[in-house]
Coordinates of all heavy atoms in Angstrom, one line a residue:
P1 N 0.8 -1.2 0.0 CA 0.0 0.0 0.0 C 0.8 1.3 0.0 O 0.4 2.3 -0.6 CB -0.8 -0.1 1.3 CG -0.2 -1.1 2.1 CD 0.5 -2.1 1.2
N2 N 2.0 1.2 0.6 CA 2.9 2.4 0.6 C 3.3 2.8 -0.8 O 3.2 3.9 -1.3 CB 4.1 2.2 1.4 CG 3.8 2.2 2.9 OD1 2.8 2.7 3.3 ND2 4.8 1.8 3.7
I3 N 3.8 1.7 -1.6 CA 4.2 1.9 -3.0 C 3.0 2.3 -3.8 O 3.0 3.2 -4.7 CB 4.9 0.7 -3.5 CG1 6.1 0.4 -2.7 CG2 5.2 0.8 -5.0 CD1 6.7 -1.0 -3.0
G4 N 1.8 1.7 -3.5 CA 0.6 1.9 -4.3 C 0.2 3.4 -4.2 O -0.2 4.0 -5.2
R5 N 0.2 3.9 -3.0 CA -0.2 5.3 -2.8 C 0.7 6.3 -3.5 O 0.3 7.3 -4.0 CB -0.3 5.6 -1.3 CG -1.6 5.1 -0.6 CD -1.7 5.7 0.8 NE -0.7 5.2 1.7 CZ -0.8 4.1 2.4 NH1 -1.9 3.4 2.4 NH2 0.2 3.8 3.2
M6 N 2.0 6.0 -3.4 CA 3.0 6.9 -4.1 C 2.8 6.9 -5.6 O 2.8 7.9 -6.2 CB 4.4 6.4 -3.7 CG 4.8 6.7 -2.3 SD 6.5 6.2 -1.9 CE 7.4 7.5 -2.9
V7 N 2.6 5.7 -6.2 CA 2.4 5.6 -7.6 C 1.1 6.3 -8.0 O 1.0 7.1 -9.0 CB 2.4 4.2 -8.1 CG1 1.9 4.0 -9.5 CG2 3.8 3.5 -7.9
E8 N 0.0 6.1 -7.2 CA -1.3 6.7 -7.5 C -1.2 8.2 -7.4 O -1.7 8.9 -8.3 CB -2.3 6.2 -6.5 CG -3.7 6.8 -6.7 CD -4.7 6.3 -5.7 OE1 -4.3 5.8 -4.6 OE2 -5.9 6.4 -5.9
D9 N -0.6 8.8 -6.4 CA -0.4 10.2 -6.3 C 0.4 10.8 -7.4 O 0.1 11.9 -7.9 CB 0.2 10.6 -4.9 CG -0.7 10.3 -3.7 OD1 -1.9 10.1 -3.9 OD2 -0.2 10.2 -2.6
M10 N 1.5 10.1 -7.8 CA 2.4 10.6 -8.8 C 1.6 10.6 -10.2 O 1.7 11.6 -10.9 CB 3.6 9.7 -8.9 CG 4.6 10.2 -10.0 SD 5.3 11.8 -9.7 CE 6.6 11.4 -8.5
E11 N 0.9 9.6 -10.5 CA 0.1 9.5 -11.7 C -0.9 10.6 -11.8 O -1.2 11.2 -12.8 CB -0.5 8.1 -11.9 CG 0.5 7.0 -12.3 CD -0.1 6.0 -13.1 OE1 -1.3 5.7 -13.0 OE2 0.6 5.4 -14.0
F12 N -1.6 10.9 -10.6 CA -2.6 11.9 -10.6 C -2.0 13.3 -10.9 O -2.5 14.1 -11.7 CB -3.2 11.9 -9.2 CG -4.3 13.0 -9.0 CD1 -5.5 12.9 -9.6 CD2 -4.0 14.2 -8.3 CE1 -6.5 13.9 -9.4 CE2 -4.9 15.2 -8.1 CZ -6.2 15.0 -8.7
K13 N -0.8 13.6 -10.3 CA -0.1 14.8 -10.5 C 0.3 15.0 -11.9 O 0.2 16.0 -12.6 CB 1.1 15.0 -9.5 CG 0.7 15.1 -8.1 CD 1.9 15.1 -7.2 CE 1.5 15.2 -5.7 NZ 2.6 15.1 -4.8
M14 N 0.9 13.9 -12.5 CA 1.4 14.0 -13.9 C 0.3 14.1 -14.9 O 0.4 14.8 -15.9 CB 2.3 12.7 -14.1 CG 3.5 12.7 -13.3 SD 4.6 11.3 -13.5 CE 5.5 11.7 -15.0
R15 N -0.9 13.4 -14.6 CA -2.0 13.6 -15.5 C -2.5 15.0 -15.5 O -2.8 15.6 -16.6 CB -3.1 12.6 -15.1 CG -3.0 11.2 -15.6 CD -4.3 10.5 -15.5 NE -4.8 10.3 -14.2 CZ -4.5 9.3 -13.4 NH1 -3.8 8.3 -13.8 NH2 -5.0 9.3 -12.1
N16 N -2.6 15.6 -14.3 CA -3.0 17.0 -14.3 C -2.1 17.9 -15.0 O -2.5 18.9 -15.6 CB -3.2 17.4 -12.8 CG -4.5 16.8 -12.2 OD1 -5.4 16.4 -12.9 ND2 -4.5 16.8 -10.9
L17 N -0.8 17.7 -14.8 CA 0.2 18.5 -15.4 C 0.2 18.4 -16.9 O 0.2 19.4 -17.6 CB 1.6 18.1 -14.9 CG 2.8 19.1 -15.3 CD1 2.5 20.4 -14.7 CD2 4.1 18.5 -14.7
L18 N 0.0 17.2 -17.4 CA -0.2 17.0 -18.9 C -1.4 17.7 -19.4 O -1.4 18.4 -20.4 CB -0.3 15.5 -19.2 CG 1.0 14.7 -19.2 CD1 0.7 13.2 -19.2 CD2 1.9 15.1 -20.4
Q19 N -2.5 17.6 -18.7 CA -3.8 18.2 -19.1 C -3.7 19.7 -19.1 O -4.1 20.4 -20.0 CB -4.9 17.7 -18.3 CG -6.3 18.3 -18.7 CD -7.4 17.7 -17.9 OE1 -7.2 16.7 -17.2 NE2 -8.6 18.3 -18.0
E20 N -3.3 20.3 -17.9 CA -3.3 21.7 -17.7 C -2.2 22.5 -18.4 O -2.4 23.6 -19.0 CB -3.3 22.0 -16.2 CG -4.5 21.5 -15.5 CD -4.4 21.6 -14.0 OE1 -3.4 22.3 -13.6 OE2 -5.2 21.1 -13.3
V21 N -1.0 21.9 -18.4 CA 0.1 22.7 -18.9 C 0.4 22.3 -20.4 O 0.4 23.1 -21.3 CB 1.4 22.4 -18.1 CG1 2.6 23.2 -18.7 CG2 1.1 22.9 -16.6
Y22 N 0.6 21.0 -20.6 CA 1.1 20.6 -22.0 C -0.1 20.7 -23.0 O 0.1 21.3 -24.0 CB 1.6 19.2 -21.9 CG 3.0 19.1 -21.2 CD1 3.1 19.1 -19.9 CD2 4.1 18.9 -22.0 CE1 4.3 19.1 -19.3 CE2 5.4 18.9 -21.4 CZ 5.5 18.9 -20.0 OH 6.7 18.9 -19.4
F23 N -1.2 20.1 -22.7 CA -2.3 20.2 -23.6 C -2.9 21.6 -23.7 O -3.3 22.0 -24.8 CB -3.4 19.2 -23.2 CG -3.1 17.7 -23.5 CD1 -2.8 16.8 -22.5 CD2 -3.0 17.3 -24.8 CE1 -2.5 15.5 -22.8 CE2 -2.7 16.0 -25.1 CZ -2.4 15.1 -24.1
G24 N -3.0 22.2 -22.5 CA -3.5 23.6 -22.5 C -2.7 24.5 -23.3 O -3.2 25.4 -24.1
K25 N -1.4 24.5 -23.1 CA -0.5 25.3 -23.9 C -0.5 25.0 -25.4 O -0.5 25.9 -26.2 CB 1.0 25.2 -23.4 CG 1.9 26.2 -23.9 CD 1.6 27.6 -23.4 CE 2.6 28.6 -23.9 NZ 2.2 30.0 -23.5
T26 N -0.5 23.7 -25.7 CA -0.6 23.4 -27.1 C -1.9 23.9 -27.8 O -1.9 24.4 -28.9 CB -0.5 21.8 -27.3 OG1 0.7 21.4 -26.7 CG2 -0.6 21.4 -28.7
K27 N -3.0 23.8 -27.1 CA -4.3 24.3 -27.6 C -4.2 25.8 -27.8 O -4.7 26.3 -28.9 CB -5.4 23.9 -26.6 CG -6.8 24.4 -27.1 CD -7.8 24.0 -26.0 CE -9.2 24.4 -26.5 NZ -10.2 24.0 -25.5
D28 N -3.6 26.5 -26.9 CA -3.5 28.0 -27.1 C -2.7 28.3 -28.3 O -3.0 29.2 -29.1 CB -2.9 28.6 -25.8 CG -3.8 28.5 -24.6 OD1 -5.0 28.3 -24.8 OD2 -3.3 28.7 -23.5
I29 N -1.6 27.6 -28.5 CA -0.7 27.9 -29.6 C -1.4 27.6 -30.9 O -1.4 28.4 -31.9 CB 0.6 27.1 -29.5 CG1 1.4 27.6 -28.3 CG2 1.5 27.2 -30.8 CD1 2.7 26.8 -28.0
V30 N -2.0 26.4 -31.0 CA -2.7 26.0 -32.2 C -3.9 27.0 -32.5 O -4.1 27.4 -33.7 CB -3.3 24.6 -32.1 CG1 -4.2 24.3 -33.3 CG2 -2.1 23.6 -32.0
N31 N -4.6 27.4 -31.5 CA -5.7 28.4 -31.8 C -5.2 29.7 -32.3 O -5.9 30.4 -33.0 CB -6.5 28.6 -30.5 CG -7.4 27.3 -30.1 OD1 -7.6 26.5 -31.0 ND2 -7.8 27.2 -28.9
D32 N -4.0 30.1 -31.8 CA -3.5 31.4 -32.2 C -2.9 31.3 -33.7 O -3.0 32.3 -34.4 CB -2.3 31.8 -31.3 CG -2.9 32.3 -29.9 OD1 -4.1 32.6 -29.9 OD2 -2.1 32.4 -29.0
L33 N -2.4 30.1 -34.0 CA -1.7 30.0 -35.3 C -2.7 29.6 -36.4 O -2.5 29.9 -37.6 CB -0.6 29.0 -35.2 CG 0.6 29.3 -34.3 CD1 1.6 28.2 -34.3 CD2 1.3 30.6 -34.9
R34 N -3.8 28.9 -36.1 CA -4.6 28.3 -37.1 C -6.0 28.3 -36.7 O -6.4 28.0 -35.5 CB -4.1 26.8 -37.4 CG -4.9 26.1 -38.5 CD -4.4 24.7 -38.6 NE -5.1 24.0 -39.7 CZ -4.9 22.7 -40.0 NH1 -4.1 22.0 -39.3 NH2 -5.6 22.2 -41.0
S35 N -6.9 28.5 -37.6 CA -8.3 28.5 -37.4 C -8.9 27.3 -38.3 O -8.6 27.2 -39.4 CB -9.0 29.8 -37.8 OG -10.4 29.7 -37.8

């Protein structure tokens, strides 16, 4: 359970980071460059 909680927390943080930063930034750039 110790390892499980660490992996679960890390995946949650990395999913949020991918969604909010990487995908969000990519979406902003694409919307600015292309319609």
